Amino acid sequence: MNFSAKLINWYTVNKRDLPWRNTSNPYYIWLSEIILQQTQVIQGTPYYHAFTTNFPSVFDLANAKEDEVLKLWQGLGYYSRARNLHWSAKYIVEELNGEFPNTYKEILKLKGVGDYTASAIASICFNEVTAVVDGNVYRVLSRYFGIETPINSTQGQKQFKQLAQDLIDPNRPAIFNQAIMEFGARHCKPKNPDCNSCTFNQNCQALISNKVDVLPVKLKKTKVSIKYFNFIVVLANNSYTILEQRKGNGIWQNLYQFPLIETKAAVNEQEITKKINDLGVIPNNDFEISLYNTEDIIHKLSHQHLHTKFWIVTTQQSLKNAISTTKLHDFPVPILISNFIEKFDF
DNA sequence: AAACCGGGGAT
DNA sequence: ATCCCAGGTTT
């Protein structure tokens, strides 16, 4: 039996019953693929249910406000996915008459859709013979064929894409693509794969050469930078506060937060008071300040560790652009802010 | 080619 | 503490 046939046999026995496997509606498959980018199934599944429930059709998603889409995406991370999802829904409605594109080439024109996602949708929904290459596929193929080309090099990306394209069953592209990903996720795992019970253990080059634990090869780890975030939690007349929307480049684009003062090092109450005075957030600089968390909250992102202080600033002044604290839950915020809102007794 | 973009699961 | 996750975009 060849690689493809063995793989599909494994899949028919071992596949999970996942929500998006019960549909071939390209809109739902698209939602699932965007949600699952760099996201484990266990984390993405609740969001898939939320989006299909709140936006049952591409028209519903296109008609939503961006804040609504971001709010539903809150906590999932990589928020450009949500913004691009919304942009693409409007594009499909306005430019394509609401009809989902049905070829790899046309699907690729959607924002937030690259080679992997276009291949996945084209194969699963339209039986186009386009091989997917995700993290699972890199791992399975690098091990089975003993390929040591770094998977995050330009050469590696081309090599593995071509190999997957050579291997895909042209008669069953949808099954093949899902099978190789499921096999990577469930059996050929990053750590401690069960090679003894593996259907490929007579032919796996990594197992034969004792290289299972070094494949796939990946270049360089990015180093983490440390930042110091001071959120100014205004509490005016015990019922109003201030939020700002993050603009421009950087993390959490278009999400909301308490006014942020970033510093180059940890600051004390005196220093932050001066900075608040300079900003002129509170009329007449008439406020009292206290630190909510005595120990910095260290919020860890892939490339940054955010050493965070929440400063509680109380005042009796009336503020412009203030919102009722009862409305705080309506805004899309980073999980760091959401956790604070849940804990703090507004 | 390298940097950037989140949050959480698995070990 | 480290690696990884049904990756894509920007610089």
Side-chain angles (χ1 to χ4, degrees):
Chain A
M1 227 187 313
N2 63 22
F3 179 83
S4 171
K6 260 186 169 177
L7 191 61
I8 291 173
N9 278 352
W10 177 91
Y11 180 66
T12 56
V13 175
N14 293 287
K15 72 174 179 179
R16 289 168 288 182
D17 181 20
L18 301 175
W20 45 89
R21 289 199 175 135
N22 299 320
T23 179
S24 59
N25 182 332
Y27 170 65
Y28 292 122
I29 299 298
W30 173 52
L31 284 179
S32 74
E33 293 298 345
I34 301 299
I35 287 169
L36 292 173
Q37 287 170 0
Q38 291 295 288
T39 303
Q40 296 186 176
V41 166
I42 187 67
Q43 186 186 6
T45 299
Y47 289 84
Y48 176 80
H49 288 307
F51 270 79
T52 53
T53 300
N54 284 272
F55 307 123
S57 77
V58 70
F59 298 97
D60 300 312
L61 180 56
N63 289 335
K65 300 290 187 188
E66 183 180 276
D67 275 7
E68 295 178 57
V69 181
L70 286 172
K71 184 64 186 177
L72 214 53
W73 199 271
Q74 179 178 304
L76 197 55
Y78 285 153
Y79 295 93
S80 66
R81 291 184 291 172
R83 298 193 307 271
N84 289 334
L85 193 72
H86 189 221
W87 184 95
S88 296
K90 290 195 285 189
Y91 165 76
I92 291 169
V93 167
E94 293 168 10
E95 306 293 332
L96 306 181
N97 200 25
E99 294 174 24
F100 206 94
N102 61 2
T103 64
Y104 169 89
K105 187 179 173 185
E106 295 303 315
I107 296 167
L108 198 54
K109 294 178 179 174
L110 303 178
K111 277 192 184 177
V113 171
D115 176 76
Y116 162 77
T117 305
S119 298
I121 299 172
S123 61
I124 293 171
C125 302
F126 306 109
N127 289 310
E128 191 169 332
V129 186
T130 51
V132 295
V133 183
D134 72 336
N136 295 305
V137 177
Y138 280 123
R139 189 168 52 254
V140 171
L141 295 183
S142 68
R143 284 175 175 170
Y144 183 83
F145 291 98
I147 299 171
E148 302 187 28
T149 312
I151 60 172
N152 54 344
S153 65
T154 303
Q155 184 193 352
Q157 289 175 23
K158 289 175 63 177
Q159 181 179 359
F160 283 98
K161 175 74 181 184
Q162 183 60 52
L163 179 55
Q165 193 63 34
D166 291 341
L167 291 168
I168 191 173
D169 183 339
N171 297 313
R172 293 179 289 179
I175 304 292
F176 175 90
N177 277 341
Q178 293 177 85
I180 192 168
M181 290 191 285
E182 185 81 340
F183 180 73
R186 305 273 289 175
H187 196 111
C188 196
K189 298 179 292 185
K191 305 288 184 187
N192 307 320
D194 185 4
C195 300
N196 285 328
S197 70
C198 183
T199 182
F200 295 115
N201 61 12
Q202 297 302 307
N203 308 299
C204 176
Q205 292 305 311
L207 182 58
I208 293 169
S209 310
N210 195 27
K211 288 181 177 173
V212 171
D213 55 344
V214 301
L215 291 174
V217 174
K218 204 170 178 179
L219 291 174
K220 300 175 199 168
K221 317 146 201 334
T222 55
K223 52 180 178 182
V224 175
S225 64
I226 297 177
K227 292 188 172 180
Y228 297 88
F229 277 13
N230 297 275
F231 289 110
I232 310 306
V233 183
V234 174
L235 202 51
N237 298 312
N238 213 28
S239 57
Y240 288 89
T241 191
I242 294 176
L243 288 183
E244 62 185 18
Q245 188 175 31
R246 294 183 65 95
K247 291 296 187 182
N249 292 326
I251 59 172
W252 303 332
Q253 192 181 341
N254 289 11
L255 272 66
Y256 294 80
Q257 65 184 10
F258 298 105
L260 172 63
I261 297 175
E262 186 177 348
T263 53
K264 298 196 171 182
V267 291
N268 59 30
E269 186 175 306
Q270 196 172 2
E271 292 169 307
I272 201 71
T273 299
K274 177 170 173 20
K275 288 179 182 294
I276 296 171
N277 283 334
D278 292 346
L279 277 181
V281 186
I282 312 292
N284 308 320
N285 287 332
D286 174 20
F287 60 87
E288 293 180 6
I289 188 167
S290 66
L291 181 57
Y292 171 73
N293 53 312
T294 42
E295 292 290 324
D296 278 5
I297 296 168
I298 303 177
H299 187 71
K300 295 181 178 180
L301 308 179
S302 300
H303 300 71
Q304 304 175 32
H305 287 183
L306 309 178
H307 291 236
T308 306
K309 287 181 166 73
F310 288 94
W311 297 95
I312 312 302
V313 171
T314 57
T315 181
Q316 310 309 317
Q317 301 287 322
S318 57
L319 305 174
K320 294 177 183 174
N321 304 321
I323 63 161
S324 169
T325 55
T326 60
K327 303 267 190 185
L328 274 175
H329 293 276
D330 299 341
F331 293 84
V333 297
I335 204 67
L336 173 62
I337 302 294
S338 175
N339 289 341
F340 171 81
I341 292 174
E342 294 304 319
K343 275 195 170 185
F344 188 76
D345 187 21
F346 278 105

